[in-house]
Amino acid sequence: MQARMTNPAQVLPGAMQSILDLLNAAKEGGVPESTLELVHLRASQINGCAPCVYGGMASARKHGVSEDQLSTVVAWREAPYFSDAERAALALAEAATRIADRADAVPDEIWDEAARHYDEKGLASLVLMVAVTNLFNRLNATTRQVAGVTW
């Protein structure tokens, strides 16, 4: 496999730093980094972004995500390894990633369940993490970045 081009975030001056600044801001909302890593991994699985899934697995382990969770995040609804708060975050991540799948992209029941577990800063953190993940996924998928190759 070979990438079509260098990752666009590296080609344009300042793009990567700006994206990383946004990623770091997403970590300031009080949501456990393990939960943010699960959100990143699930959105990346949905989008089929091999580099983000590959990197997300390593980063998730580093931030305390268990092997049971890593093995079953793709089927989190049927797995006993996730807290109610993690489930709410994963449901929000899926809905916000699949916005074209339904008229009401993020239904009230999904939002309300997330809001039961996270305050406004936490919700902002989750929404930003999903947005940044989707940005990385689109950059990588469009240019066919290769899993395991560092920038």
Side-chain angles (χ1 to χ4, degrees):
M1 298 190 79
Q2 185 174 336
R4 289 177 165 155
M5 65 177 283
T6 302
N7 190 293
Q10 289 181 289
V11 173
L12 299 176
M16 182 60 80
Q17 189 56 55
S18 296
I19 295 168
L20 292 175
D21 288 345
L22 188 56
L23 178 62
N24 288 329
K27 296 177 183 180
E28 296 174 6
V31 176
E33 285 203 52
S34 59
T35 301
L36 294 175
E37 293 294 341
L38 288 169
V39 162
H40 170 78
L41 185 56
R42 185 65 192 119
S44 296
Q45 289 173 336
I46 291 167
N47 289 323
C49 181
C52 289
V53 170
Y54 180 86
M57 295 285 286
S59 187
R61 283 185 182 101
K62 178 179 154 188
H63 289 97
V65 175
S66 73
E67 290 300 317
D68 289 333
Q69 288 176 311
L70 287 174
S71 298
T72 59
V73 69
V74 70
W76 61 269
R77 286 177 181 82
E78 292 80 28
Y81 308 114
F82 303 92
S83 70
D84 289 344
E86 289 167 335
R87 290 176 186 284
L90 288 165
L92 181 61
E94 286 187 358
T97 296
R98 293 181 161 146
I99 59 174
D101 287 359
R102 58 180 147 217
D104 184 9
V106 180
D108 288 340
E109 66 264 12
I110 290 174
W111 182 264
D112 293 346
E113 182 62 15
R116 245 179 25 88
H117 297 281
Y118 303 97
D119 62 11
E120 187 171 38
K121 281 182 131 180
L123 290 167
S125 181
L126 290 168
V127 171
L128 283 173
M129 181 56 107
V130 172
V132 171
T133 297
N134 277 278
L135 171 60
F136 273 124
N137 293 165
R138 280 148 179 78
L139 293 172
N140 290 332
T142 302
T143 61
R144 292 188 182 157
Q145 297 300 304
V146 180
V149 176
T150 58
W151 296 339

